[in-house]
Amino acid sequence: PNFQASTADLWLAELAGPFRAEARNALRLQGELSWLALARFWDKLRVQEQVWVLHWGLDAFPGMVGALVPQSLASEHEEVRLEGLRVLGALDETQAAASIRELAAKFLHDPSAVVRAAAVHASPLGVDWRAVLDQETEWPVRAAAITQLAKQEGEDALSTLIQLLRINDW
């Protein structure tokens, strides 16, 4: 049956069972209404399904998946938070509101360099990218910060970018 409130428990059980891949494929075939229903049941989804719903949303419904980003960033599971940051980084400015992008800023100080790099790619507003470059030691995070600095400052960032080219690590 189609995914709806009356069949939600059945579908959630299938997604947690041995035929998870088949259930995912069947839900994808049901389309947008199925994705929206899954988004409404976000708190009942397991971590793997939350990550899958984010992937599916980014792939098929980029104009709507941004609405799940705040929930994903508030997750207690790092895998879900990281995927939420990656989704946010993949969305353009028209697909994710500035208030949602600002949520990524708190992850710029995460202990994990992978999380910090994803947070930089998410383009949080109001960040001093020069300060990030001065403080950050991990190359992937610094490279992402350079991209943000160039987007934010345009030609004004050229002198800083040229100085960075003089460093042997670059």
Side-chain angles (χ1 to χ4, degrees):
N2 286 339
F3 190 109
Q4 50 194 339
S6 62
T7 62
D9 288 338
L10 295 171
W11 278 108
L12 295 176
E14 284 299 317
L15 287 169
F19 299 104
R20 172 183 2 204
E22 291 82 355
R24 288 179 177 184
N25 288 337
L27 288 168
R28 273 186 171 266
L29 289 174
Q30 291 180 27
E32 183 178 332
L33 292 178
S34 180
W35 185 85
L36 288 168
L38 282 168
R40 283 192 296 274
F41 283 89
W42 177 263
D43 291 332
K44 291 188 176 190
L45 296 173
R46 296 177 326 139
V47 168
Q48 297 89 341
E49 277 63 53
Q50 288 177 341
V51 169
W52 171 70
V53 167
L54 287 168
H55 278 278
W56 180 18
L58 181 60
D59 179 48
F61 314 110
M64 294 187 291
V65 72
L68 285 179
V69 169
Q71 290 170 278
S72 65
L73 297 182
S75 174
E76 62 186 40
H77 302 284
E78 183 174 338
E79 184 179 354
V80 176
R81 291 191 309 267
L82 180 58
E83 200 56 41
L85 288 168
R86 287 178 175 153
V87 164
L88 190 54
L91 297 175
D92 65 37
E93 285 86 30
T94 64
Q95 297 167 324
S99 60
I100 293 175
R101 289 203 183 277
E102 289 173 5
L103 298 174
K106 72 179 183 179
F107 295 97
L108 293 173
H109 303 290
D110 193 271
S112 166
V114 173
V115 171
R116 291 194 311 273
V120 172
H121 284 292
S123 306
L125 303 175
V127 174
D128 181 354
W129 296 113
R130 291 175 193 275
V132 171
L133 283 168
D134 288 341
Q135 297 168 1
E136 183 58 55
T137 59
E138 296 291 329
W139 189 87
V141 183
R142 293 190 74 186
I146 285 173
T147 301
Q148 295 304 329
L149 176 67
K151 282 193 329 192
Q152 184 180 57
E153 295 187 12
E155 289 181 11
D156 293 340
L158 283 176
S159 63
T160 300
L161 299 175
I162 290 169
Q163 287 174 357
L164 290 171
L165 288 173
R166 292 185 181 127
I167 300 172
N168 289 337
D169 290 346
W170 290 93

